[in-house]
Amino acid sequence: MRSTGRGPGRHVRVAVVGAGFSGLGAAVRLGRAGVRDFVVLERAPGVGGTWRDNTYPGCACDVPSLLYSYSFAPHAGRWPRTFSGQRDIRAYLEAVADAEGIGPHLRFGREVLEMRWDSARLHWEITTSRERWTADVAVCAAGPLSEPVIPPIAGLDSFLGPVFHSARWDHTAELRGKRVAVIGTGASAVQLVPALAATAAGVRLFQRTPPWVLPRPDRRVPAAERLLYERLPATAAARRALLWGVRELVTRAFTRLPNALAGYEALARAHLRWAVRDPGLRSRLTPDYRIGCKRILLSSAYYPALVQPHVETIAASLAEVRGRRLIAGDGTRTEADVIVFATGFRATEPPIAHRVTGSDGLTLAETWRDGGMRALRGTSVAGFPNLLMLLGPNTGLGNTSLVLMIESQLDYLLDYLRLLEEYGAAGSVALTPRPAAVRSWNARLDARLGRTVWNTGGCASWYRDAEGRNTTLWPGSTREFRRAVRRVDPGEYARLTPAEAEPEPETETEAETETEAEAETEAEADGGPEPVAPPV
Ligand code: N01
């Protein structure tokens, strides 16, 4: 690490912000590629990101572990269940960090307060809660679902008991024998409600919109099967490929043919009918929008929990709190000793966007104020040179493993570093996405998103921002994304040198910036691209 010569602070080639699944993955891939001069800045005291923060009872992953793990750090013989719990996933990430020798690069307890691009020196100035860094390249791996939201509720301050968010579980709060109110019925709620119902004296569930719920085919992985995966890794790889392939096939229904999801709807209705006999409750739990519009939830324990006599489902949002009394939007009144908000995250307005200032003096949040979050290939943003975002805009998925998207972006990161090196010595050149390339990419995304179930399914969800634009999900298969970010297209970037604060003028017209990936996308629409090996 070379000194910046400007007071306390150190310079690195790459600074990664965040040590969750994506930041840790970046560290592993950087290390394996021989990049030694990098640091991972993490505000928490350990690795794990969302799998460290979310410790609510019942917290688990709704994607099978064989697929929800790095292809480059297989763990097949060690997952105790097909769908792992939070502790096992966190332990996996810690084990990967240890095995890969990431420790010396990790800096815990460093919250990134500000990141500012220095056009003269071509580097990022990063101020953390402890010290300052400069970096040629910044990798934002802060996570799309890391900032919990508690909605404003009239009188909430007057509540006479513990109040907390599902992602910041208060383990000191006594729940046994208490009446617990849960607000929200998303992926977190369906996991924590059954666990709460097993201990609390009563659960009052405030449901604004009923979710579609399918059974979760979870099971303990027998020792013999684990041994097989351990001894014959090809069997685990084959199973992972199968899990991946089935989800890839279904993707087309989400993105192009929402009516083809009717079979899932029938299955979910049958699940509800089978589990809930009371017609009144069943009707309250029946969604009135297309399945898949919001995340499809997997739980075999949710409906059985709701039919218990001490669990009350109130089909309305929480409108007001008066002492221990809770008043729902439909006027229903109930009492509680504890309130748990399972109300989701700030996905379309990430707080880190207010802390990152680019070459024109605007923050990411200001840049995205009109038109919402936009990036090039979900990864880089015009006006923010040498900034790569992992799980950036439109890289989320509705039905398969996000780890696949992360790994694809890591290929892009390494290719980006290769290209930078090809262009000049460290600190002598930077790359910034051409605005036309960003516009072109997003125009194509918007067109494709327009026909997805997320936009047409008749629901409101965190996938779309306040203007209704879907800025979070990728409207294609993971294979297609992988192809789109396998290599950096130099034509999509302008080169910056310290002498020129401004990028070279754009040479091509917007029409000419139709990219390789877009051409591939069209090829797929016209009959499909050439086969690509599954990410196993
Ligand atoms: O949050 P959500 P989550 N009054 O935003 C309700 C991932 N995840 O934490 O549907 C009353 O989905 C809101 O109601 P409505 C996964 O990607 C993954 O559950 O908007 N209610 C909704 O029911 C997931 O999608 C796993 O009408 C209010 C709920 O709160 C994402 O995290 C596990 C309200 C919020 O649901 C977020 O899931 C868990 C208000 N003012 C989470 N505001 C895996 O297994 C909001 N709601 C991988």
Side-chain angles (χ1 to χ4, degrees), residues 9 22-23 31 47-48 82 120 136 179 189 208 255 271 313 319-320 322-323 366 371 383 398 401 403 408 463 488 500:
S22 54
V47 301
T82 48
D136 298 326
R179 298 164 300 177
R208 192 164 67 178
T255 57
H271 178 214
T313 303
E320 194 182 341
R322 288 188 208 149
E366 287 163 343
S401 172
V403 182
S408 297
Y463 298 155
V488 174
E500 24 164 42

Side-chain angles (χ1 to χ4, degrees), residues 11 33 43 147 166 221 238 247 249 295 302 368 376 500 510 514:
H11 183 87
R43 66 182 173 185
E147 295 296 329
S166 55
V221 184
R247 283 162 179 76
L249 286 179
R295 189 181 179 90
Y302 182 61
W368 287 337
L376 172 63
E500 24 164 42
E510 196 163 324
E514 184 183 334

Side-chain angles (χ1 to χ4, degrees), residues 195-251:
L196 276 181
T199 50
V203 175
R204 285 85 167 101
L205 177 63
F206 286 78
Q207 170 198 271
R208 192 164 67 178
T209 314
W212 285 105
V213 185
L214 289 173
R216 190 167 77 140
D218 186 25
R219 63 180 170 84
R220 201 178 58 77
V221 184
E225 187 177 335
R226 287 198 257 159
L227 194 65
L228 179 70
Y229 292 152
E230 204 65 45
R231 295 272 164 86
L232 287 174
T235 56
R239 188 156 176 82
R240 178 179 163 105
L242 183 69
L243 291 167
W244 170 78
V246 168
R247 283 162 179 76
E248 287 290 274
L249 286 179
V250 177
T251 298

Side-chain angles (χ1 to χ4, degrees), residues 15 18 57 91 120 127 180 247 256 259 287 301-302 304 309 315 383 392 409 427 445 463 480 495 498 517 519:
T127 308
V180 183
R247 283 162 179 76
R256 283 169 187 263
N259 287 341
Y302 182 61
Q409 288 190 294
L445 277 182
Y463 298 155
E480 196 187 339
R495 270 188 259 182

Side-chain angles (χ1 to χ4, degrees), residues 432 482 509:
T432 191
R482 189 170 176 230
T509 64

